[in-house]
Amino acid sequence: MAQAKAATTPEKNLIRFNIKNVKYAFPTADGGFTDFAPMGTASKLAIETDASEKSIYGDGKRIIHYNNEKGKTGTVSLNTICNEYEIACGRKKRLDVGLADIKPTKNVPHVLYYEICEMNGENEISVAKGMLYGVTSTRPAESYDQTTDDINESSFDLPLVIGGTPLLAADGSVYKDTKGNEVSVWGVIVTPDMDGYADFGKEVVLPKNGTSAETPAV
């Protein structure tokens, strides 16, 4: 009797988990970006699509169904408040004595970098790197308590609005498709099997359409 063969285990990544190395970079006056600065340790990143749907009817039936994506919203949960980030956002200010919460008079779009883990069918773990573009945020809420003998650690949820950035053509100009539409990019994920992975995250990389990406795969 022939022995049964073991089922083939897929090599593609099957699950994503974890969040780490969240960093931020702000635009500079010369059109570039600052170096990435760490935001501290994170425990969660949640991203949701900000979209609305529209159906148009004619001749007694639906003739158009359009999904209008306006960007993304999200929340990054940090183990502590990053004062340097809050200062860069204009929500805190260093005084002669102490650090003050102030009423913000600006909300500058910036870039967030993060890393997540992926696991394939062989239980091999790899790290994927991501950037979110056109990010603005609001002040995290603060809550502290001590209700047991152990330390009751707090988590600080930072609300995000992810407005995106225009996709660039290979020559650096704003990309337009064959029908003249500009393309907004909310975020980019790079995995170890992709070009540019090793250096991704060392500085802000604006999304650019490569030569091979000009023609969609059939």
Side-chain angles (χ1 to χ4, degrees), residues 42-56:
S43 58
K44 183 178 181 179
L45 174 64
I47 302 174
E48 297 183 2
T49 300
D50 180 12
S52 60
E53 296 181 344
K54 176 71 172 179
S55 294
I56 300 175

Side-chain angles (χ1 to χ4, degrees), residues 21-40:
N21 294 338
V22 180
K23 302 186 287 186
Y24 64 92
F26 276 78
T28 57
D30 61 1
F33 284 86
T34 62
D35 293 334
F36 277 115
M39 292 186 71

Side-chain angles (χ1 to χ4, degrees), residues 101-122:
D101 285 341
I102 63 173
K103 181 179 180 179
T105 58
K106 63 179 181 179
N107 204 356
V108 180
H110 50 279
V111 176
L112 287 188
Y113 170 86
Y114 63 95
E115 295 176 0
I116 57 175
C117 292
E118 296 184 324
M119 181 181 288
N120 64 17
E122 299 289 346

